[in-house]
Amino acid sequence: MSPRRPILLLAIGALALAGLGLRDWPVDSRKAIAFAQRPLSTYGLMLTADGPASLRLLPFPSFSLAQVRIADASGPTLIESRHLTADIDPLAFLTGRSPVGGLRLEDSTLSAERAAWAQPFARIREGVAGGGQHPPRLTLSGATLGEGADIKDIGLDVAWPFWSGAVEAKAHLTWRGVPTRIALTRLRPSDLFEGQRSPFAAEATWPGGGLAFDGTALLPAEAAGSPSLSGRARFQTKSLPETLAWIGRDAPLSPLTGAFSLEGAFEAQGRTVSWPVLRVGAGNAVMEGAGGFALSGGDNPRLSAQATLAADRIDLAPLVGALVKLFEDGGASVALAPLSRGDLDLRMSATEGQVGPLVLQDLAASVLVRDSAVEVAVNRARLKDGVVKGRLTLARGLDPAETEMKAQGGVDQVDLGGLMSDLGGSRWVSGPLQGQFTFESHGRDVAALVSALGGRASVAIDGGALSGLDLTDVIHRNGGLAPGALARRNGRTGFERAAIAFRFADGIGEITEADLRGAGVAATLRGQVSLPDQRLDMMALLAPRQAMEGARTVRIAIAGPWDAVTTQAQRGEMQEPGGATSTLARMRSILQPPEAVGLPAAIRSYAP
């Protein structure tokens, strides 16, 4: 006989056996249910099936059941599945373990009632702690939680091999329309159920971010309590507002944030999490320090957060940009509710803080958010050899849609020329700037806040100068300039003091005092600025410092909207000999005088 013929016969026989082994053989449903029921009955679970049962031998022997229902012995249905497969473990017979190696459920509906799962989990905990067998491997595919309104497309694989003390679980699901993946490793249930700490590593990822833990866990003595966790954690998201809206939670000031991250050592007990080592990233800013979080009880839990953070350098431009964007629309609501959905006590410090081209040194700031108020304070910062301070308080009015605003602050000995240079303009005015402001207002939107603004503001410069402009020559030429004077930039007006003070009421700022006193020139300014209309209406008066009979006096009318101010120089009569000194608002008048006076655009651009 040819040696090929036995090989051919063996191959045909193997194919025949494989075909028989891959075929589903009908079996008695009661026997199949009894077999699959064995590992479930240990934990008080009952299995029923309304469909047919079958047996398959390859690739691994298994029983299959259709239209399956798994319920707790006390009555609640936990799982309804279109198809269940119970894998047979031949080695289990040799070791005396349950012959069911795993349960696979397809197209299942899981109970969304937390109370229904309490008793089964308690029995699993008691069984494992008492040295019982490990639950079989559980695999779900195409499952939904309840009606699937929040969680659906669940794929789950939980494995706890009899030779290992650690559980491994992997899951993918769609949670509120967002595909999410979850992984859990290194968890030792026996240690947990015996009241000991267990190591664990967990990670959740979604298209917009991720959350990861690496630490230890300890179960509470009472089943209803919360586990105690400690270790290191990392959270990051491309957009914090979108992530919070997705998970159904709120955080203070969340509308002002974008990309956000947390990383560090943590300790969690119940609803409280402390971070003895914390690294926070918000936009381009990265700060380090310590903090803590707490979530209140009830149906609408409120987040409370506190942190003390520091950085060598912090970029404040994204936050300032978010504030500008929030208030750039005059009709935008200023109600505090979107910003105060949580409590925050944040203390920040930085060696250097940057807002666009401006650099603040030795910055110390704080943010305080409560249910009815938001307070932002720059407690100390150095700017161009000077000091700046400020505080903004927003409080909810009697009408929740209305906000009351208070702002105050000041600058001291700030190099104005250097500041203007950093802002990209010409150093047409120089000197140490000092001033203060106090404002109050209330309203439902930005326009209402501006229209109701009241308060005072004043600024002054001692020992400064105007560069590129000789006011004495302007007076001599009746408000005109020598041809090419600005191009040559050889004019200069030194002054001993320039100051201006405003009193605001209903958004209108009235000049209460404004003067400039130089070696050979004196100037005054009167008029007002309208914030609601964004308009200037002022009159500047230039005169020689020592008034003499016949000396020229020049009046310059300044009027129009901020982006199109017009000026007109006029010949006037001398008033008040020795007179009236001008003002830093005089600068405001020549900030943007048009072609009649002929100041360059670099200077005019600083007008309101």
Side-chain angles (χ1 to χ4, degrees), residues 137-507:
R137 182 170 187 167
L138 178 63
T139 304
L140 300 178
S141 61
T144 62
L145 183 64
E147 298 296 327
D150 288 336
I151 301 178
K152 59 183 179 180
D153 303 329
I154 303 173
L156 175 65
D157 186 356
V158 181
W160 187 4
F162 73 92
W163 65 82
S164 173
V167 166
E168 291 189 3
K170 295 181 180 180
H172 60 83
L173 52 91
T174 300
W175 184 17
R176 296 176 179 173
V178 178
T180 306
R181 291 187 174 274
I182 302 173
L184 173 66
T185 59
R186 296 170 47 202
L187 184 67
R188 303 178 65 87
S190 298
D191 293 345
L192 283 178
F193 297 152
E194 291 173 1
Q196 303 176 16
R197 281 196 170 271
S198 166
F200 78 99
E203 184 176 12
T205 59
W206 58 93
L211 174 65
F213 297 95
D214 188 351
T216 62
L218 177 66
L219 290 181
E222 296 90 13
S226 300
S228 172
L229 307 177
S230 63
R232 294 193 64 85
R234 183 184 72 255
F235 167 74
Q236 58 184 12
T237 174
K238 297 177 182 177
S239 173
L240 183 60
E242 291 181 5
T243 299
L244 291 173
W246 169 50
I247 65 177
R249 288 287 182 263
D250 294 314
L253 303 183
S254 61
L256 302 181
T257 58
F260 186 81
S261 66
L262 287 175
E263 183 177 0
F266 78 98
E267 296 178 0
Q269 180 65 55
R271 291 173 173 262
T272 302
V273 182
S274 62
W275 297 78
V277 179
L278 178 62
R279 181 183 177 92
V280 177
N284 297 326
V286 178
M287 297 170 286
E288 297 181 347
F293 305 92
L295 197 63
S296 65
D299 296 334
N300 297 307
R302 181 178 176 86
L303 176 67
S304 297
Q306 63 84 24
T308 301
L309 304 173
D312 291 333
R313 182 182 179 278
I314 180 173
D315 185 2
L316 299 173
L319 177 59
V320 175
L323 285 171
V324 171
K325 184 177 180 179
L326 184 66
F327 289 101
E328 66 183 356
D329 180 8
S333 171
V334 293
L336 288 183
L339 300 178
S340 58
R341 291 172 177 163
D343 298 328
L344 175 65
D345 185 355
L346 175 61
R347 310 299 170 94
M348 299 181 296
S349 62
T351 304
E352 183 178 287
Q354 187 163 7
V355 184
L358 296 183
V359 177
L360 302 172
Q361 296 178 330
D362 299 329
L363 172 65
S366 62
V367 180
L368 186 65
V369 180
R370 292 294 180 263
D371 182 41
S372 58
V374 175
E375 181 182 289
V376 181
V378 177
N379 302 311
R380 182 194 71 251
R382 297 193 62 81
L383 174 65
K384 304 308 289 183
D385 301 327
V387 177
V388 297
K389 296 181 179 181
R391 185 181 303 274
L392 172 66
T393 302
L394 303 174
R396 186 173 59 194
L398 296 178
D399 181 354
E402 186 172 273
T403 295
E404 298 178 355
M405 182 201 76
K406 292 184 179 180
Q408 62 183 27
V411 298
D412 185 33
Q413 302 300 310
V414 173
D415 178 7
L416 182 57
L419 180 62
M420 297 178 70
S421 179
D422 287 350
L423 290 172
S426 172
R427 299 170 62 106
W428 65 274
V429 59
S430 61
L433 176 68
Q434 56 187 341
Q436 52 276 328
F437 64 87
T438 301
F439 294 130
E440 293 186 1
S441 186
H442 61 88
R444 288 171 168 260
D445 52 39
V446 175
L449 282 180
V450 173
S451 297
L453 186 73
R456 297 177 178 274
S458 62
V459 291
I461 300 176
D462 291 318
L466 301 177
S467 301
L469 185 64
D470 187 344
L471 293 183
T472 302
D473 189 59
V474 171
I475 295 172
H476 180 71
R477 296 177 182 276
N478 295 323
L481 292 173
L486 291 176
R488 295 191 300 269
R489 299 191 58 81
N490 57 355
R492 184 178 184 277
T493 302
F495 55 84
E496 301 167 4
R497 181 177 175 81
I500 184 171
F502 286 93
R503 181 177 61 243
F504 283 87
D506 297 328

Side-chain angles (χ1 to χ4, degrees), residues 84-108:
L84 178 145
T85 301
D87 296 327
I88 301 173
D89 184 1
L91 296 177
F93 290 101
L94 301 177
T95 59
R97 295 180 293 105
S98 170
V100 179
L103 296 176
R104 289 176 283 151
L105 297 164
E106 301 174 14
D107 300 333
S108 305

Side-chain angles (χ1 to χ4, degrees), residues 31-110:
K31 293 182 179 180
I33 292 174
F35 177 81
Q37 170 73 29
R38 293 185 182 183
L40 300 177
S41 60
T42 305
Y43 307 108
L45 301 178
M46 303 298 295
L47 173 66
T48 59
D50 297 331
S54 61
L55 171 67
R56 177 177 291 191
L57 300 176
L58 294 177
F60 301 102
S62 62
F63 282 105
S64 296
L65 293 166
Q67 304 304 319
V68 171
R69 184 180 301 104
I70 300 176
D72 184 61
S74 60
T77 298
L78 302 178
I79 303 175
E80 293 183 0
S81 179
R82 181 183 63 83
H83 188 268
L84 178 145
T85 301
D87 296 327
I88 301 173
D89 184 1
L91 296 177
F93 290 101
L94 301 177
T95 59
R97 295 180 293 105
S98 170
V100 179
L103 296 176
R104 289 176 283 151
L105 297 164
E106 301 174 14
D107 300 333
S108 305
T109 300
L110 311 180

